[in-house]
Amino acid sequence: MTPTPFSQTPPAANTTLLEVHDLSVHYGYGAGATKAVQNVSFRLAHGEFVGLVGESGSGKSTLGFALTGLSKPPAHIEKGRILFGGKDIASLDAEQLREQRHGGIAMVLQSGMNALNPVRSIRNHFVDIFRAHGHVERSRWTARATELIGKVELTPQVLDRFPGELSGGMRQRVSIALALSLEPELMVFDEPTTALDVLVQHAVMNTIIELQKSENFTAILISHDLGIVLESAQRVMVMHEGRIVEDAPARQILQNPQAPYTRMLLSHYADPRAEVVELPGFADRQQRKAEGASRTEAATHTPTVSPRTRRTDQHAMVVENVSKIYPAPRRGEAPVRAVDNVSFTLEPGAALALVGASGSGKSTIAKLITAVEKPTSGSIRFGDLDVGKLNRRHFRRLHRDVQMVFQDPYSALNPLHTVEYALTRPVINFTGLTGTDARRRVLELLDIVGLSPVEEFAAKLPHQLSGGQRQRVVIARALASDPQVIIADEPVSMLDVSLRAGVLALLEDLREQWGVSLLYITHDLLSARVVTDNIMVLNGGAVVERGVTADVLQNPQDDYTIRLLDAIPNPRKVVA
Amino acid sequence: MTTSLPPTTAAIRAPLSTIDAAPSPWKVVVRVASTVWSNGKARIGLVMLAVFILLAIFAPLIAPYGARETGFERSADGSAAHWLGTTAAGEDVLSQLLYGAQISIFVGLVAGLLSTIIAVLIGLSWGYVRGFGADVINFVVNLFLVIPGLPLMIVIAAYLSGGGIGMIIVVVVITGWAWGARVLRSQTQSLRSRDFVTAAVFSGERPFRIVFREILPNMTSLIVGNFFGAATAAILAEAGLEFLGLGDSTVVSWGTMLFWAQNSNALLTGQWALLFAPGLCIALLATSLTLINFGVDGISNPRLREGTKK
């Protein structure tokens, strides 16, 4: 397990490396300018590991780019100074900036793994840097590259590979090694692990923490995930709407958060293994179940049964011994067995979690039960429909009852159609309503997902909505056909922590009120714990563990489940 | 964050008081037009194109003489009566230039439009279907792409000789659609795998509607760009074919002006205006269309215009 980083003694040389004084960064000029960073001041001592936390749009990346002198128009420093080793970064020209990259400031980007040139080997990437700065003798190039690649826990063979031959985690390690090659005094990590798989994320974070200690550089870790930051950084700065609202040692943030915003962020973390799991807007599931039971008893006396619960033609989704084999990606390689002999039944009104790291086959299962892909063997039945052999012409029959909520709300809505159009189409296709009736139904759907004033939201284009609002539109669209089954493929993984609970609560309410069954696909065990009753853990396409969600997470049997649980960043683990 | 869920039955019983009609599709047109206009280069291009079109439409009013009116002094230099001089046959060059704009712009716009329509129909369906159908289209498109354009044009034009403007348009369309189809197909293929297309399948949409209502609007800039490119190519091809004498040489167009100027050795006699004026007009018209294309880029990507977060 990761050693608690802030228990170590502060570096002896407690001198200031970086000083930011009253910095404001704006996008654009004049009254219409977006004030991304406002009046930020802080100082960094040599060897410090500082976390910078904030949600999307808080200005954290803008600040990171300003520190490294990488701000691009229309972003510009409105006022304030950034003193690095006594020099003002803003006053440097491009060539001075390039020179100071050696022994100065390096940055590792979120998409750093895509920052590698696909047609050049990893060795060439190192050579380019050595040649540009001339700080390593030609005879030592290979030795130095091998040494650097070793620091990020990769083998020297990697040097002769091309970026396309490496996994995402390996590429991110390479870009960290490249940043290290200039022996920087300050490393800025901008969401270094966000694009990586959970298990890999954990391993790369550990490498960064180890490196920071052994190389003793000063580090700023920019992340949206307070859990990751608290696990690794000594000091945490919390950013909200362009301002730093809290700047305190990690332990203090955790035990005694001052700013209400920090408290709100912290309230969204919990240990999925705990006896009682509560999130804002969610009481513990077990307790809710108990309350719900008494409520239904009470309800039997009053005839206020919603129209949906009276529905008699509810079907279960029955999946039996399903396998999906994709042809080999390259000649001579084995075919890919994406799903391996999986069986389960999704009862009407039930909530089932499908959990696993990326590549575990969970999204393939979603494609199979929505007939987007055909299974290689096995059968999938929904009522009298044989989903596995469903013809394209009969898709409407299936999609009337089985709908999907997509992972990425930014790509699931056509950018050129208004919300109204996106919702009107399924209403017309599935319910046969037209004209004013269809419009009334659309506005009703918007009301159900909590987007009001409805008229205003109906007229909006997707880019005028926030991520959470877009995901609500996607959910409203899934509801348009009045479905029996909703498949939610990582519905909250692209959203800010504070928005997640709202979307999850919406899904949960819909399930309870409308009797919709939910297949919840995720790698996030905490959200699985709060919205589902049963869970299946997938590894390499096969089910390795299944059972009641709370039981499985509290007493995991399989190694893989335990590893997934350990990989969850949880600030409370640090204190324990 | 909690969501209040009103009971659905109540929502149905108490309909929302005012239900207006859905927003008009004309808004989209206005949005597109203002986007193109907001680009400086495109504005210059639009103004140039508008001037050419107005000159062409009002040529009968503006032109000092008729296009085929002969009987003036032959091969005269510019003068107050004939600003750009006269041709070897004794026609007024300025009048011919103004009337010639009609043919060039007409051929450019019609041939550009027709070849774009073919490119869109073939490119989009080719990009969306998989399997045998796609292979067949692939073969046909590649066939048109590997045949050298100008020789093919000359062969077809010679075969259809005497067809006049209609023939030229047919030749330009036949030889001009394949490249656009290929570009639109690859864009369709990349859009086909986007989530919103899958979401449209889940919304119960038919393939035809998915292709033309979900995918096509996202390629507006490519299609409009393709149209202006095809129109430019058509104007140049028309001038080229007529210059080679393959069109109807009795029609007055910029291409035939060049053809007759070359025949009468206008450069040797020092009558540069005979070659220079139609040549410059062709170049300026092509330039105006290319400039408009700069503004078209912003249409299908709203983020290129409005600064949004993330």
Side-chain angles (χ1 to χ4, degrees):
Chain A
M1 204 52 260
T2 324
T4 50
F6 50 80
S7 59
Q8 66 180 154
T9 48
N14 207 354
T15 48
T16 303
L17 175 70
L18 180 80
E19 193 180 345
V20 175
H21 188 70
D22 199 25
L23 180 73
S24 293
V25 182
H26 291 187
Y27 285 85
Y29 294 85
T34 308
K35 293 166 182 156
V37 176
Q38 297 177 56
N39 309 91
V40 165
S41 301
F42 63 91
R43 58 174 64 209
L44 285 186
H46 274 284
E48 251 192 314
F49 195 144
V50 174
L52 185 60
V53 182
E55 303 196 313
S56 56
S58 64
K60 57 189 192 305
S61 289
T62 309
L63 179 57
F65 278 110
L67 294 183
T68 46
L70 289 172
S71 292
K72 281 195 204 84
H76 63 100
I77 293 174
E78 181 73 17
K79 67 180 168 82
R81 285 185 305 164
I82 306 166
L83 297 174
F84 177 72
K87 260 188 293 181
D88 190 352
I89 289 182
S91 68
L92 299 179
D93 64 27
E95 179 57 24
Q96 286 170 321
L97 207 57
R98 191 187 73 80
E99 275 166 13
Q100 69 82 33
R101 300 243 177 260
H102 174 215
I105 305 178
M107 191 162 186
V108 177
L109 299 170
Q110 174 173 9
S111 51
M113 52 185 136
N114 300 327
L116 304 174
N117 186 338
V119 297
R120 294 179 62 72
S121 69
I122 303 303
R123 182 188 305 277
N124 281 333
H125 283 88
F126 280 102
V127 168
D128 287 343
I129 295 177
F130 296 154
R131 189 174 286 141
H133 286 272
H135 62 296
V136 179
E137 289 164 42
R138 184 175 276 268
S139 57
R140 286 203 63 250
W141 281 2
T142 305
R144 177 71 180 144
T146 313
E147 184 194 346
L148 285 165
I149 214 84
K151 281 184 183 170
V152 291
E153 292 156 31
L154 293 174
T155 55
Q157 283 84 348
V158 169
L159 285 177
D160 293 313
R161 303 277 201 90
F162 287 87
E165 299 173 310
L166 305 176
S167 70
M170 287 164 95
R171 273 180 283 170
Q172 190 62 296
R173 283 169 192 271
V174 168
S175 56
I176 294 172
L178 287 170
L180 274 180
S181 69
L182 288 167
E183 297 140 23
E185 282 194 73
L186 175 64
M187 289 271 271
V188 179
F189 297 95
D190 187 3
E191 305 264 10
T193 60
T194 306
L196 302 174
D197 186 47
V198 251
L199 294 174
V200 182
Q201 196 170 2
H202 191 57
V204 171
M205 240 8 263
N206 280 345
T207 306
I208 291 177
I209 294 167
E210 293 300 319
L211 272 176
Q212 195 268 335
K213 264 187 234 137
S214 59
E215 304 291 305
N216 204 29
F217 52 76
T218 312
I220 299 179
L221 174 67
I222 300 174
S223 177
H224 68 280
D225 193 333
L226 188 57
I228 287 181
V229 169
L230 283 172
E231 273 191 3
S232 45
Q234 302 157 338
R235 203 176 99 201
V236 178
M237 296 189 286
V238 182
M239 223 172 153
H240 182 49
E241 290 175 354
R243 295 173 195 278
I244 291 182
V245 293
E246 188 152 9
D247 180 356
R251 184 178 287 270
Q252 194 184 321
I253 292 254
L254 195 51
Q255 290 170 340
N256 188 16
Q258 297 300 315
Y261 182 72
T262 317
R263 276 189 226 142
M264 188 279 292
L265 283 181
L266 273 171
S267 70
H268 288 276
Y269 288 89
D271 187 346
R273 280 174 283 202
E275 205 56 44
V276 174
V277 177
E278 289 185 341
L279 286 184
F282 282 95
D284 184 68
R285 201 171 175 81
Q286 249 61 32
Q287 292 174 2
R288 259 185 300 153
K289 274 278 146 73
E291 280 170 27
S294 60
R295 218 192 306 143
T296 2
E297 260 168 45
T300 46
H301 302 293
T302 47
T304 51
V305 190
S306 79
R308 275 308 298 256
T309 45
R310 274 186 276 126
R311 190 158 157 167
T312 48
D313 58 343
Q314 298 254 64
H315 304 298
M317 176 74 79
V318 184
V319 176
E320 274 176 352
N321 305 100
V322 161
S323 295
K324 175 73 187 176
I325 298 167
Y326 288 107
R330 285 192 207 108
R331 206 181 294 253
E333 286 179 18
V336 179
R337 192 171 266 273
V339 175
D340 192 5
N341 201 17
V342 169
S343 307
F344 64 90
T345 304
L346 184 61
E347 300 288 351
L352 174 67
L354 213 53
V355 168
S358 63
S360 60
K362 53 192 196 304
S363 289
T364 309
I365 291 181
K367 285 181 189 159
L368 290 173
I369 62 181
T370 53
V372 175
E373 298 266 0
K374 304 263 175 288
T376 312
S377 64
S379 80
I380 304 166
R381 275 177 290 107
F382 180 75
D384 56 349
L385 280 180
D386 188 346
V387 178
K389 296 189 179 65
L390 197 68
N391 192 295
R392 262 195 107 81
R393 279 194 293 279
H394 300 115
F395 270 12
R396 271 197 194 180
R397 278 180 65 200
L398 177 69
H399 293 151
R400 187 185 304 279
D401 289 323
V402 181
Q403 279 288 332
M404 181 130 174
V405 174
F406 294 85
Q407 173 175 16
D408 182 0
Y410 292 91
S411 75
L413 292 173
N414 193 330
L416 295 176
H417 288 320
T418 57
V419 169
E420 165 137 16
Y421 180 87
L423 296 181
T424 306
R425 292 308 304 167
V427 167
I428 291 174
N429 286 335
F430 292 117
T431 64
L433 297 174
T434 49
T436 327
D437 290 339
R439 184 161 162 83
R440 182 180 297 133
R441 172 75 179 145
V442 165
L443 298 181
E444 188 189 311
L445 284 168
L446 282 171
D447 195 33
I448 290 170
V449 296
L451 290 177
S452 56
V454 284
E455 302 262 350
E456 202 174 291
F457 275 103
K460 287 197 176 191
L461 285 167
H463 76 275
Q464 296 167 321
L465 302 175
S466 73
Q469 289 170 338
R470 285 184 203 210
Q471 198 59 300
R472 283 168 191 268
V473 174
V474 172
I475 292 172
R477 179 172 58 189
L479 290 174
S481 67
D482 200 4
Q484 297 183 28
V485 180
I486 287 185
I487 294 150
D489 188 356
E490 307 256 15
V492 295
S493 68
M494 307 285 286
L495 301 179
D496 277 330
V497 180
S498 58
L499 297 174
R500 286 182 188 182
V503 171
L504 288 177
L506 173 61
L507 280 174
E508 178 75 1
D509 284 349
L510 294 173
R511 198 174 67 76
E512 281 176 356
Q513 295 224 351
W514 295 46
V516 181
S517 48
L518 176 71
L519 183 66
Y520 183 72
I521 298 173
T522 189
H523 66 263
D524 175 11
L525 295 167
L526 178 61
S527 63
R529 174 80 194 266
V530 296
V531 295
T532 64
D533 303 313
N534 292 299
I535 193 168
M536 288 196 338
V537 183
L538 283 170
N539 184 14
V543 178
V544 293
E545 193 158 358
R546 66 169 86 202
V548 175
T549 308
D551 294 348
V552 169
L553 295 184
Q554 280 168 24
N555 306 301
Q557 301 301 314
D558 193 81
D559 267 359
Y560 183 74
T561 317
I562 296 170
R563 273 170 57 213
L564 275 178
L565 278 164
D566 281 340
I568 302 171
N570 182 5
R572 300 219 163 74
K573 256 191 318 200
V574 185
V575 192
Chain B
M1 185 165 186
T2 53
T3 21
S4 59
L5 285 176
T8 32
T9 45
I12 292 164
R13 260 188 266 115
L16 294 134
S17 50
T18 51
I19 293 178
D20 307 327
S24 140
W26 284 105
K27 271 189 180 168
V28 180
V29 176
V30 173
R31 205 177 69 210
V32 167
S34 69
T35 306
V36 176
W37 186 254
S38 66
N39 181 303
K41 288 175 188 164
R43 210 177 305 161
I44 296 173
L46 282 170
V47 169
M48 283 167 66
L49 183 64
V51 169
F52 273 115
I53 290 178
L54 288 177
L55 285 180
I57 292 173
F58 295 110
L61 299 178
I62 303 167
Y65 310 101
R68 307 222 50 81
E69 201 178 324
T70 52
F72 305 112
E73 186 194 349
R74 297 184 174 210
S75 302
D77 285 335
S79 64
H82 306 284
W83 288 5
L84 293 172
T86 58
T87 65
E91 298 142 326
D92 180 53
V93 173
L94 179 63
S95 304
Q96 286 207 323
L97 202 62
L98 290 168
Y99 279 102
Q102 291 179 332
I103 303 294
S104 286
I105 292 173
F106 177 75
V107 171
L109 297 187
V110 172
L113 193 67
L114 288 177
S115 70
T116 305
I117 289 173
I118 295 178
V120 165
L121 289 176
I122 292 184
L124 264 70
S125 39
W126 183 20
Y128 194 73
V129 301
R130 299 167 202 241
F132 184 70
D135 290 341
V136 172
I137 305 178
N138 189 25
F139 177 78
V140 175
V141 174
N142 283 340
L143 201 66
F144 276 94
L145 280 174
V146 293
I147 296 173
L150 191 63
L152 177 65
M153 260 188 227
I154 292 173
V155 167
I156 301 177
Y159 183 73
L160 297 173
S161 60
I165 297 304
M167 180 271 291
I168 298 236
I169 291 176
V170 169
V171 171
V172 169
V173 169
I174 289 178
T175 54
W177 62 272
W179 181 251
R182 190 155 200 112
V183 171
L184 294 176
R185 174 247 199 167
S186 50
Q187 182 69 5
T188 308
Q189 279 183 323
S190 84
L191 286 173
R192 184 181 58 183
S193 58
R194 297 274 287 276
D195 277 352
F196 68 78
V197 174
T198 317
V201 175
F202 274 90
S203 297
E205 301 281 41
R206 307 275 182 224
F208 186 82
R209 206 181 163 95
I210 291 176
V211 169
F212 290 100
R213 284 306 298 272
E214 299 289 332
I215 295 179
L216 185 130
N218 279 289
M219 307 203 298
T220 319
S221 67
L222 261 186
I223 292 168
V224 177
N226 185 63
F227 165 72
F228 285 115
T232 312
I235 289 166
L236 297 177
E238 182 256 356
L241 285 175
E242 294 196 322
F243 174 72
L244 292 172
L246 288 163
D248 181 356
S249 53
T250 60
V251 173
V252 175
S253 76
W254 293 342
T256 50
M257 285 174 75
L258 288 169
F259 170 71
W260 288 115
Q262 176 69 14
N263 268 2
S264 58
N265 290 326
L267 266 190
L268 291 180
T269 60
Q271 276 197 298
W272 54 268
L274 250 63
L275 281 166
F276 192 72
L280 186 68
C281 283
I282 293 168
L284 284 178
L285 184 56
T287 308
S288 73
L289 296 177
T290 312
L291 286 175
I292 294 171
N293 249 346
F294 282 109
V296 170
D297 283 340
I299 295 176
S300 69
N301 193 347
R303 285 187 182 182
L304 274 181
R305 292 170 276 138
E306 280 179 59
T308 48
K309 284 186 212 166
K310 197 172 162 141

